[in-house]
Amino acid sequence: MSDAPKSHGRKTIRPTLRPQELMTDRPSLAQAWTAQIITLFPDAFPGLLGQSLTGKALKDGLWQLETIDLRPYGEGKHRNVDDTPAGGGAGMVLRADVVGRAVETARRQSRGRMPMIYLSPRGRPFDQAMARSLADCDGVTMLCGRFEGIDQRVLDHYGIEEVSLGDFVLTGGELPAQVLIDACVRLRPGVLGNAASTEEESFSDGLLEHPQYTRPTEWQGHEIPPVLMSGNHGEIAKWRRAQAEELTRARRPDLWAKRGTEE
């Protein structure tokens, strides 16, 4: 007899010590792309993800959000989750035993192919290609650090990939997690009203996106480029391509150089 979770329609039933979601309006959905977040601040979610297109998609069950509060896994009466760095130094470090217990819970609740990521400025740079790869998975588990970070042994033991949103430091991983989720969810089927929107935007072809214009035709002495009003779709496509190439060369020579090596 299998120990695997049983699926009844779109809802998933998992063994758990917590009360089942029999009387809530957000049961676990078996087929929805899942963003699983391990965090000290579960109330930070969904945040802006609950608005606009991502919020509508969340309500419609196109994706789902599961937060795992790190605090209940803490040690002692006060549920301590951190301790001083081994070898000395400023700040505090999230304990391996505490984070490990939360990770084990996440692993038991995950399904299918759900990579586990630690959001860290020393990680692999997050880009559109990674967003597409993660969007094609069943979901993603994100570990949000705080203080001076997480005991390295947790990352090593579970083979957690470190991912960075840029060369800067934040107070925690919750904001980067929301950015990563937004980038992935918008690529899921049915989330955007026009699927073609993701095919012509920045980075879709290794280029920055061309400029965009709309009404009014003239504003503050600035007019929409005549070619865009010509109705000649071939010329419009050529103009947009040329603009994208020019912007990429000027603003992101690293992308332009990389594109040259791939062609």
Side-chain angles (χ1 to χ4, degrees), residues 11 41-42 46 62 70 101 115 163 170 232 263:
K11 298 181 180 180
F41 300 98
L62 297 180
L70 193 58
R101 288 192 285 267
V163 172
L170 300 175
N232 187 326
E263 290 181 347

Side-chain angles (χ1 to χ4, degrees), residues 41-96:
F41 300 98
D43 291 341
F45 297 87
L48 282 174
L49 296 170
Q51 306 299 316
S52 189
L53 294 176
T54 54
K56 183 179 184 300
L58 180 62
K59 183 178 180 181
D60 291 345
L62 297 180
W63 71 285
Q64 63 184 340
L65 179 67
E66 297 178 358
T67 56
I68 297 173
D69 188 353
L70 193 58
R71 184 66 64 180
Y73 298 94
E75 288 288 310
K77 177 181 177 181
H78 300 292
R79 298 296 183 186
N80 294 324
V81 299
D82 57 357
D83 211 328
T84 56
M92 305 290 280
V93 178
L94 290 173
R95 293 173 54 126

Side-chain angles (χ1 to χ4, degrees), residues 31-45:
Q31 303 301 321
W33 190 88
T34 303
Q36 194 178 58
I37 317 294
I38 301 174
T39 173
L40 275 170
F41 300 98
D43 291 341
F45 297 87

